[in-house]
């Protein structure tokens, strides 16, 4: 049992935070001046291939697969481990200094959009795709979209942090968040027992938001925790995740801004559809 007693007033100890100590701080705002690059497409994405970043690249690739040419985009890599998210240009797009962030330059005045759920909804409304228009179906879709936004911090910043990243294993913290993550998986399991997709019979932004977190968790990708959480028990979640992962646009979206895994699965930046065939890390390495 810990003998820690919180002080009357908290003060920042820079040595705390484990492997994230160099980028975590209790204040906002930029740490350095750095402009963001701008490519030739209407949409400029500044991101990293984390679950939150993957939501948006999946959405963009799905829109392009439907023939929405206005969804062409440049995806620029923001290396959060190096503190790129604290550059002045990025902070101007997202004052919260989190990926992903999007700038829509298709009109006379650039529009910034930050927070992954907001970006998904913005794109869905802009192109009229992947969100229902009928009131009841739309409400269901948005309810599940915001379920993800509220639930995933318990999975990532809660369970993932204390199980995989914290400098010491704290039984209480791991048990607390493991219990909550399994409850969330059971919520999805029960929903998917009665519904083909999260929001109903059609694939929507709710699936795109939830899949990179909970689909990846069920398939054993996140935190090396598949056995610990007995993810094999969630049969309906697996059925749903297996269907989504086979979508061509999902396969492409999962590659964009990815900096881990097989070199053939990493497309650090995406500026053209042909980049998937010519500029993955294995191709770049072979061309040196």
């Amino acid at each position: 049992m810990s003998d820690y007693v919180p002080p009357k007033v908290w003060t920042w100890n820079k040595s705390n935070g484990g492997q994230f100590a160099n980028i975590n701080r209790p204040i906002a705002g930029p740490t350095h001046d750095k402009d963001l690059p701008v490519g030739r497409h209407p949409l400029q994405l500044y991101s990293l291939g984390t679950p939150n970043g993957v939501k948006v690249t999946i959405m963009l690739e799905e829109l392009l697969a439907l023939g929405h040419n206005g969804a062409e985009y440049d995806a620029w890599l923001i290396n959060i481990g190096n503190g790129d998210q604290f550059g002045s240009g990025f902070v101007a797009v997202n004052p919260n200094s989190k990926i992903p962030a999007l700038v829509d330059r298709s009109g006379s005045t650039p529009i910034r959009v930050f927070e992954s759920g907001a970006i998904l909804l913005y794109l869905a409304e802009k192109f009229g795709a992947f969100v229902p228009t009928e009131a009841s179906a739309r409400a269901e879709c948005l309810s599940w979209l915001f379920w993800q936004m509220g639930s995933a911090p318990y999975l990532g910043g809660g369970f993932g942090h204390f199980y995989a990243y914290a400098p010491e294993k704290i039984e209480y913290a791991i048990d607390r968040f493991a219990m909550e993550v399994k409850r969330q998986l059971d919520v999805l399991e029960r929903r998917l027992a009665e519904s083909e997709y999260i929001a109903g019979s059609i694939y929507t932004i709710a699936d795109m938001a939830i899949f990179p977190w909970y689909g990846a968790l069920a398939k054993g990708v996140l935190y090396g925790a598949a056995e610990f959480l007995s993810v094999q028990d969630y049969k309906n979640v697996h059925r749903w995740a297996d269907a989504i992962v086979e979508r061509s646009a999902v396969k492409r979206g999962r590659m964009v801004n990815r900096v881990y895994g097989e070199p053939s699965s990493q497309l650090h930046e995406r500026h053209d559809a042909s980049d998937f065939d010519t500029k993955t890390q294995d191709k770049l390495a072979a061309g040196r």
Side-chain angles (χ1 to χ4, degrees), residues 44-244:
Q44 300 294 304
L45 178 67
Y46 305 95
S47 192
L48 182 67
T50 66
N52 285 332
V54 166
K55 298 175 195 176
V56 178
T57 48
I58 286 175
M59 176 62 163
L60 290 166
E61 291 298 328
E62 291 282 12
L63 288 168
L64 291 171
L66 280 184
H68 293 285
N69 294 331
E72 270 294 352
Y73 68 105
D74 293 278
W76 302 94
L77 182 66
I78 300 296
N79 191 324
I80 62 176
N82 293 340
D84 292 351
Q85 70 275 31
F86 300 121
S88 57
F90 189 87
V91 174
V93 177
N94 184 356
N96 195 39
S97 292
K98 303 290 184 182
I99 62 93
L102 179 77
V103 178
D104 182 354
R105 295 180 173 271
S106 62
S108 58
T109 302
I111 298 172
R112 75 176 187 182
V113 195
F114 57 92
E115 292 295 326
S116 57
I119 296 172
L120 291 179
L121 185 55
Y122 176 83
L123 293 172
E125 292 182 335
K126 178 181 177 71
F127 294 101
F130 298 115
V131 65
T133 56
E134 188 275 325
S136 177
R138 178 180 172 82
E140 188 73 17
C141 176
L142 296 186
S143 293
W144 284 107
L145 172 66
F146 285 95
W147 176 88
Q148 185 278 315
M149 300 296 290
S151 297
Y154 291 96
L155 169 54
F159 174 76
H161 178 79
F162 286 106
Y163 182 80
Y165 302 129
E168 60 181 295
K169 303 299 183 187
I170 302 172
E171 181 180 4
Y172 174 82
I174 293 172
D175 283 351
R176 167 67 181 86
F177 289 113
M179 177 179 65
E180 173 59 14
V181 169
K182 287 184 71 66
R183 189 195 67 82
Q184 293 173 2
L185 284 169
D186 194 50
V187 170
L188 293 176
E189 179 71 7
R190 291 167 185 267
R191 172 59 179 167
L192 290 166
E194 62 185 20
S195 181
E196 182 177 3
Y197 293 105
I198 293 293
S201 61
I202 61 171
Y203 175 65
T204 69
I205 56 174
D207 299 286
M208 297 178 205
I210 293 170
F211 168 77
W213 282 104
Y214 296 90
L217 182 68
K219 302 311 294 183
V221 175
L222 287 185
Y223 310 126
E227 182 178 7
F228 181 75
L229 294 173
S230 302
V231 296
Q232 72 280 354
D233 294 343
Y234 304 96
K235 306 298 185 185
N236 294 305
V237 176
H238 276 269
R239 183 268 306 162
W240 164 79
D242 288 341
I244 292 178

